[in-house]
């Protein structure tokens, strides 16, 4: 495993996020699976474990307590969680929520702690609740070792945040991958982080697994040719492209199977990353894919809870896959796939709840209608 030296702390380049851990029929994380994922991650040299207050139906912190904290020495891993910004209205809310998270995780300090999901809707509460200065005191007290923030926002807002609170923010977590670099102008976010000299932690490196599948035919051709010499997988290209960016410190991966842990860790166990030609090939594949896949859904499932039971990420994912293949399916199979997804745009009541929660700011009801219309035409 390759590591980053972050202010004297040795952090694995590949990190385990538990947002996509498997759930049972009751919607709870599967304990045995969580233990297997944690154990294999440690065996592969992964040191950094990431969760948040709302992950896994609010059980993400608890499952790391049970599978990681209670089963392994505290100094054998770094534990990370995030303050749910949207639940903080005033300064008096900050410490009780932080202490609740410490209790959920069963620890007396966090190695890394982030202000979660900064975007325009929550920006006013950052200042009103004095969030960063309050958390900085917890850092001084040793209950936070490193303080950062995750962003789902425009480059303008990221710059505004760093100008205002940059002295408290040691690192920034951004959605970044070779597709999004141009597709959603993620390069502008990276440039802001670089301007302020901030280490970048990567979320959605595989864009919800899409880059591991590479649904673009031209993208597959480019990567197959470029990766032949060193036996590189599509996932290797995604990780290696990110690792080539100087500001990138470590990369989160929401792995849900031990096989994924082994495969992903294998790339970071190589003596070195990608060559320049291989990095260029990844970028070219992303450009090809951007022309074929146009719904920027990462399947984060923040839009969960539709009152009509519409499985939004699954509909978007199925559509992107079909779009990338230019809808070259057998008619029966294509209709069956869409039918099996259940409720769709015809059931949408346009309440807007999903759209408000979407980090990608997708016009979800409108997009559902377009998808339904496309399938109707087919």
């Amino acid at each position: 495993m390759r590591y980053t030296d972050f202010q004297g702390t040795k952090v694995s380049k590949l990190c385990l996020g538990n947002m996509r851990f498997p759930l049972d029929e009751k919607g709870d994380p599967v304990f045995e699976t969580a233990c297997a994922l944690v154990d294999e991650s440690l065996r592969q040299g992964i040191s950094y474990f990431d969760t948040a207050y709302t992950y896994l139906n609010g059980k993400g912190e608890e499952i790391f307590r049970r599978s990681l904290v209670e089963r392994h020495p505290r100094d054998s891993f770094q534990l990370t969680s995030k303050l749910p910004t949207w639940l903080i209205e005033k300064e008096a809310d900050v410490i009780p929520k932080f202490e609740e998270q410490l209790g959920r995780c069963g620890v007396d300090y966090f190695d890394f702690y982030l202000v979660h999901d900064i975007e325009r809707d929550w920006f006013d509460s950052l200042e009103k609740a004095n969030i960063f200065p309050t958390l900085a005191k917890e850092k001084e007290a040793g209950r936070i070792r490193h303080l950062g923030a995750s962003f789902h926002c425009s480059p303008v807002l990221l710059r505004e945040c760093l100008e205002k609170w940059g002295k408290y923010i040691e690192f920034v977590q951004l959605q970044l991958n070779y597709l999004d670099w141009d597709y959603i102008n993620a390069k502008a976010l990276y440039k802001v982080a670089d301007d302020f000299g901030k280490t970048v932690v990567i979320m959605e490196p595989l864009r919800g697994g899409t880059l591991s599948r590479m649904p673009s035919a031209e993208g597959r051709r480019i990567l197959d040719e470029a990766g032949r010499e060193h036996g590189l997988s599509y996932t290797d290209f995604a990780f290696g492209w990110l690792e080539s960016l100087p500001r990138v410190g470590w990369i989160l991966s929401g792995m849900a199977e031990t096989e994924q842990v082994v495969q992903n860790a294998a790339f970071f166990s190589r003596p070195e990353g990608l060559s320049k030609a291989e990095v260029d090939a990844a970028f070219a594949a992303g450009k090809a894919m951007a022309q074929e896949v146009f719904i920027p859904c990462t399947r984060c499932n923040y839009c969960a809870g539709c009152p009509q039971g519409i499985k939004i990420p699954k509909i978007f994912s199925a559509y992107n896959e079909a779009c990338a293949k230019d809808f070259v399916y057998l008619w029966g199979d294509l209709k069956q796939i869409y039918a099996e997804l259940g409720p769709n745009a015809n059931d949408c009541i346009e309440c807007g709840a999903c759209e408000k929660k979407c980090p990608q700011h997708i016009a979800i009801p409108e997009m559902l209608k377009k998808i339904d219309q496309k399938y109707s035409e087919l």
Side-chain angles (χ1 to χ4, degrees):
M1 177 61 63
R2 294 194 290 278
Y3 295 87
T4 293
D5 184 344
F6 182 74
Q7 301 180 21
T9 299
K10 184 180 174 184
V11 183
S12 56
K13 290 277 191 177
L14 178 66
C15 310
L16 179 67
N18 73 0
M19 186 174 75
R20 291 187 171 93
F21 273 20
L23 303 175
D24 63 19
E25 64 278 359
K26 297 179 181 178
D28 295 328
V30 181
F31 175 67
E32 293 78 10
T33 304
C35 290
L37 286 163
V38 163
D39 293 353
E40 188 60 51
S41 295
L42 289 167
R43 194 156 36 240
Q44 294 294 331
I46 290 173
S47 66
Y48 185 107
F49 294 79
D50 173 88
T51 188
Y53 189 80
T54 54
Y55 285 1
L56 303 177
N57 298 322
K59 302 289 182 63
E61 293 172 325
E62 177 190 343
I63 196 63
F64 263 168
R65 185 194 79 231
R66 297 172 61 207
S67 63
L68 176 65
V69 176
E70 293 179 353
R71 299 176 59 251
H72 295 279
R74 182 65 181 91
D75 61 0
S76 67
F77 58 86
Q78 293 123 16
L79 183 61
T80 301
S81 196
K82 311 174 187 78
L83 182 75
T85 321
W86 54 94
L87 297 180
I88 304 300
E89 297 181 357
K90 55 188 181 300
E91 186 172 345
D93 296 334
V94 177
I95 300 306
K97 188 60 65 180
F98 172 70
E99 291 182 337
E100 179 188 356
Q101 292 180 275
L102 287 173
R104 282 178 161 198
C105 290
V107 295
D108 54 14
Y109 70 91
F110 285 114
D111 298 273
F112 294 82
Y113 190 71
L114 298 89
V115 177
H116 196 184
D117 189 20
I118 294 178
E119 56 176 290
R120 181 58 66 183
D121 287 349
W122 325 126
F123 186 75
D124 289 344
S125 69
L126 294 173
E127 190 158 27
K128 180 181 176 182
N130 204 33
I131 287 177
F132 282 108
T134 301
L135 291 177
K137 293 177 183 177
E138 294 302 317
K139 185 183 175 211
E140 292 173 5
R143 296 207 293 177
I144 296 172
R145 299 293 169 84
H146 298 288
L147 179 61
S150 72
F151 294 86
H152 288 287
C153 66
S154 69
V156 172
L157 184 58
L158 176 57
R159 185 173 295 277
E160 189 176 343
C161 281
L162 293 179
E163 286 174 346
K164 189 179 292 286
W165 297 296
K167 65 181 179 180
Y168 303 115
I169 300 172
E170 299 174 73
F171 62 98
V172 298
Q173 186 167 304
L174 304 176
Q175 176 182 318
L176 191 59
N177 52 67
Y178 65 72
L179 174 65
D180 287 333
W181 187 255
D182 283 327
Y183 194 52
I184 62 171
N185 198 26
K187 64 177 179 288
L189 289 167
Y190 179 84
K191 184 180 185 306
V192 174
D194 188 36
D195 288 345
F196 284 83
K198 301 299 180 183
T199 293
V200 177
V201 179
I202 301 298
M203 57 183 162
E204 298 294 352
L206 305 176
R207 225 173 190 285
T210 299
L211 298 185
S212 290
R213 298 189 301 274
M214 181 42 66
S216 163
E218 176 62 11
R220 289 195 297 273
R221 185 196 67 76
I222 292 170
L223 296 183
D224 287 346
E225 181 177 329
R228 193 171 296 120
E229 180 180 355
H230 296 121
L232 297 171
S233 70
Y234 300 152
T235 301
D236 292 341
F237 275 104
F239 288 147
W241 183 87
L242 287 165
E243 195 181 13
S244 73
L245 298 174
R247 281 286 166 199
V248 171
W250 50 95
I251 300 169
L252 302 179
S253 182
M255 296 173 279
E257 301 173 359
T258 54
E259 183 180 357
Q260 291 176 339
V261 176
V262 173
Q263 291 174 347
N264 292 354
F267 174 77
F268 292 96
S269 298
R270 294 169 179 257
E272 55 187 21
L274 301 185
S275 67
K276 184 181 184 306
E278 290 162 347
V279 168
D280 291 344
F283 191 59
K287 282 186 168 295
M289 184 177 170
Q291 296 175 2
E292 301 179 48
V293 180
F294 68 86
I295 303 176
C297 175
T298 66
R299 299 191 301 172
C300 68
N301 209 34
Y302 282 19
C303 58
C306 170
Q308 298 297 95
I310 301 173
K311 299 173 182 176
I312 298 165
K314 289 188 176 182
I315 290 176
F316 285 174
S317 179
Y319 180 76
N320 280 344
E321 291 287 340
C323 182
K325 295 173 182 172
D326 199 25
F327 296 94
V328 182
Y329 284 72
L330 295 176
W331 284 96
D333 288 351
L334 189 59
K335 289 195 290 187
Q336 181 181 352
I337 288 170
Y338 189 57
E340 287 176 352
L341 293 172
N344 54 42
N346 297 307
D347 303 286
C348 177
I349 59 175
E350 300 187 41
C351 65
C354 56
E355 195 167 341
K356 291 177 182 176
K357 294 186 286 186
C358 177
Q360 313 306 322
H361 307 293
I362 300 170
I364 294 175
E366 179 183 344
M367 194 59 66
L368 288 172
K369 289 180 182 178
K370 288 183 178 180
I371 291 172
D372 192 65
Q373 178 61 35
K374 179 66 175 178
Y375 276 87
S376 296
E377 291 173 2
L378 291 170

